[in-house]
Amino acid sequence: MTKLPISATVICKNEEACIPACLASLDSCAEIIVVDSGSTDSTLAIIRDFIARGWPIRLIERDWPGYARQKQFALEQATQDWVLSIDADEWLDDDLRRDLPRLLQSPPEVAGWRLQRALTLFGRTAPAPRATRPERILRLARREKVRFDEALLVHEGLLAEGEVRDARTGLLRHERALRFDAQLAKEITYARLKAQQRIANGKKPSLLKLVVNPPLYFLRVYVSRRMFLCGIPGFIHAWTGAIYSLICEALHYQMWFEKNRQG
């Protein structure tokens, strides 16, 4: 297979259940940068098996500095004209893989492409249908036109210099369908980091946001993104997001209170 001038970048830790599908979907990439931050399961063995079979993987083991900094580090190791930032629990479906050559032929003013990202919810074997309006995320871009904001503690994303277009063919599949208790533990971590980010930026908490944001989050996910089409799993997914929003706003208030009480 002729390789495409793409450096795929993956950060990981203890991803033995997901990373085989992720790496297998990157077979057309000329380079795959994997940055591991201390896996103790079979993740490293799986990656090294791919390397032994001739996959163009560069494995780097590195301490965890935070999401944005780790992803920026991986980006800085890339050598190809284009970079594909992909999480270890994601993979490219066949339609998206076939469409990659066309996306790379975009005119010079196009800095990158937002890919359609489809979730697989707990209790379902198939991804959410396209009628649910998959979110679009900038993941494929010209290497010299993008970076991560290393000041962000969570919800990091590529920042592009130039035009960004939407890819309408194929899906970036997300496969980590966690049970509610496990997913909620992740949401608490993300909410705490986001609240810490707000405090560090000097942002004051808002009673209006505390009251309004959680139900708005639910409505945006359940109605606007049509997750009601996914039945009970979609309902739980929407409320999980609303709970994340509540935790974030509540922690922001409590952290602000603690900071001001201490002086």
Side-chain angles (χ1 to χ4, degrees), residues 47-64:
I47 297 169
R48 290 180 178 126
D49 178 66
F50 271 86
I51 295 172
R53 289 187 281 126
W55 287 67
I57 296 173
R58 191 144 53 96
L59 173 61
I60 302 170
E61 297 180 60
R62 184 174 187 259
D63 291 340
W64 179 249

Side-chain angles (χ1 to χ4, degrees), residues 94-115:
D94 289 342
D95 289 338
L96 179 53
R97 291 163 68 189
R98 283 191 290 266
D99 198 41
L100 285 177
R102 183 188 67 83
L103 299 180
L104 300 191
Q105 295 303 313
S106 55
E109 64 269 18
V110 176
W113 291 91
R114 283 183 289 262
L115 306 181

Side-chain angles (χ1 to χ4, degrees), residues 17 26 37 47 83 91 112 125 142 152 158 169 188 192 206 214 219 233 246 251 257 263:
L26 304 176
S37 55
I47 297 169
V83 63
W91 54 276
T125 57
R142 298 185 192 273
L152 294 180
L158 285 171
T169 301
I188 291 172
R192 184 176 64 252
S206 166
L219 291 173
L246 173 63
L251 281 175
F257 175 80

Side-chain angles (χ1 to χ4, degrees), residues 101-164:
R102 183 188 67 83
L103 299 180
L104 300 191
Q105 295 303 313
S106 55
E109 64 269 18
V110 176
W113 291 91
R114 283 183 289 262
L115 306 181
Q116 298 182 108
R117 183 173 180 264
L119 303 174
T120 298
L121 305 179
F122 188 86
R124 293 175 59 94
T125 57
R130 293 189 182 221
T132 59
R133 296 179 177 172
E135 60 181 333
R136 298 179 185 274
I137 307 177
L138 174 60
R139 292 296 190 85
L140 178 65
R142 298 185 192 273
R143 177 173 53 85
E144 296 183 353
K145 295 289 186 179
V146 290
R147 63 177 178 83
F148 288 94
D149 183 353
E150 297 184 62
L152 294 180
L153 299 180
V154 70
H155 301 317
E156 70 294 336
L158 285 171
L159 303 175
E161 298 177 5
E163 180 184 353
V164 178

Side-chain angles (χ1 to χ4, degrees), residues 249-261:
E249 300 301 336
L251 281 175
H252 186 191
Y253 166 76
Q254 292 177 340
M255 289 179 179
W256 183 268
F257 175 80
E258 291 170 354
K259 178 182 177 182
N260 284 274
R261 183 179 60 181

